[in-house]
Amino acid sequence: MTVAVALDAARTDVRELPDDLAFVDPIPGMASLTRFRLAGIDELGFVFTLRSEDEPGVRLFAASPQAYFPDYAPALSLEVREALGAKDDAGLTMLAIVHPGGDAGPTTVNLLAPLVIDPTTGAALQVVLDGDEWPLRAPLGGDAHAA
C-alpha cells in the first residue's frame, strides 16, 4: 500500500510513499528500531504517524515540511543518496519529525534533521543537515502555510 504526501500546501505536488519504511540506520534515540509503518493522519497528506513494526508501542509523528515551509529545499549529499541506494535525489521525499506542543510550548517540527525516503524502495534515513539554515524546532502555526 501507499501513503499520499503533499509536497506543497496547495496539494499541486503529491507523492506516493510506501507504507512500510526500512531505515538503513536507526533513527537517533530509537535504539535498534528500523522498521516503521507510515500512515496518514489527515486526508490532505500533511501529517503522519510512524509506528514501529519492531516495538508496536513506539510511535512518532511526522509532517510534510514543504507543506508548512514552502522554501524548505535542503540539498542532499551524495552519501545520503548512496546510503538509500538512489541514483539521484529527484524522487527522494522528506518528512520532518513533529514534537507535539502543550502547556510548555508550541508544536514544532525538526527541519534540521529530516527523514529522507526513497519512494521506490521504502528505504529511509534521518539526515542531519550541514549549516544552521534550518531550525531544530520550527514552530507550526503562525507563519506555517498548511492546514
Side-chain angles (χ1 to χ4, degrees):
M1 292 183 58
T2 62
V3 176
V5 176
L7 300 180
D8 62 7
R11 299 192 76 243
T12 58
D13 191 2
V14 177
R15 185 161 298 149
E16 295 290 325
L17 294 181
D19 62 352
D20 285 323
L21 302 181
F23 283 81
V24 296
D25 288 318
I27 298 170
M30 292 287 114
S32 61
L33 306 179
T34 57
R35 298 179 313 123
F36 286 82
R37 180 159 311 263
L38 179 67
I41 292 177
D42 63 354
E43 293 183 15
L44 299 173
F46 295 151
V47 185
F48 310 89
T49 60
L50 287 161
R51 289 189 185 269
S52 171
E53 293 287 307
D54 301 310
E55 193 172 321
V58 174
R59 176 183 66 181
L60 301 171
F61 294 98
S64 171
Q66 296 90 347
Y68 293 93
F69 303 92
D71 296 333
Y72 188 72
L76 298 173
S77 69
L78 176 61
E79 291 82 14
V80 171
R81 293 190 303 271
E82 288 176 346
L84 294 173
K87 293 181 179 132
D88 58 43
D89 60 359
L92 298 179
T93 303
M94 288 185 245
L95 295 178
I97 297 293
V98 174
H99 301 276
D103 294 338
T107 297
T108 62
V109 293
N110 181 347
L111 298 179
L112 180 63
L115 305 178
V116 182
I117 302 162
D118 184 336
T120 60
T121 65
L125 181 66
Q126 186 171 29
V127 176
V128 178
L129 302 171
D130 290 332
D132 59 1
E133 181 178 1
W134 304 108
L136 179 64
R137 294 188 181 267
L140 282 180
D143 290 337
H145 290 80

